[in-house]
Amino acid sequence: MFPDAAMEIPYKGAKAMILLEEGDSRFVNTLFEKMYAELPEPKKKK
């Protein structure tokens, strides 16, 4: 999704995650907009 994003391992044994730094609000907004579009529809309650 973001091939140029900085990746960091937050703790030992974790997968690498996108590093977000303070002041990246435009990047964070874009990230959430793209993630939201890929979420599955909510399941209907019985």
Side-chain angles (χ1 to χ4, degrees), residues 8-17:
E8 185 174 284
I9 298 175
Y11 54 89
K12 186 177 180 178
K15 292 182 181 180
M17 299 180 178

Side-chain angles (χ1 to χ4, degrees):
M1 185 183 298
F2 294 96
D4 297 332
M7 302 293 281
E8 185 174 284
I9 298 175
Y11 54 89
K12 186 177 180 178
K15 292 182 181 180
M17 299 180 178
I18 295 175
L19 174 63
L20 298 177
E21 295 185 19
E22 195 172 327
D24 284 345
S25 61
R26 187 173 20 182
F27 175 75
V28 173
N29 287 340
T30 304
L31 177 64
F32 279 111
E33 287 173 4
K34 290 189 178 202
M35 287 173 45
Y36 186 80
E38 294 183 21
L39 290 173
E41 292 291 323
K43 293 182 180 179
K44 293 185 180 186
K45 295 182 179 182
K46 293 182 179 181

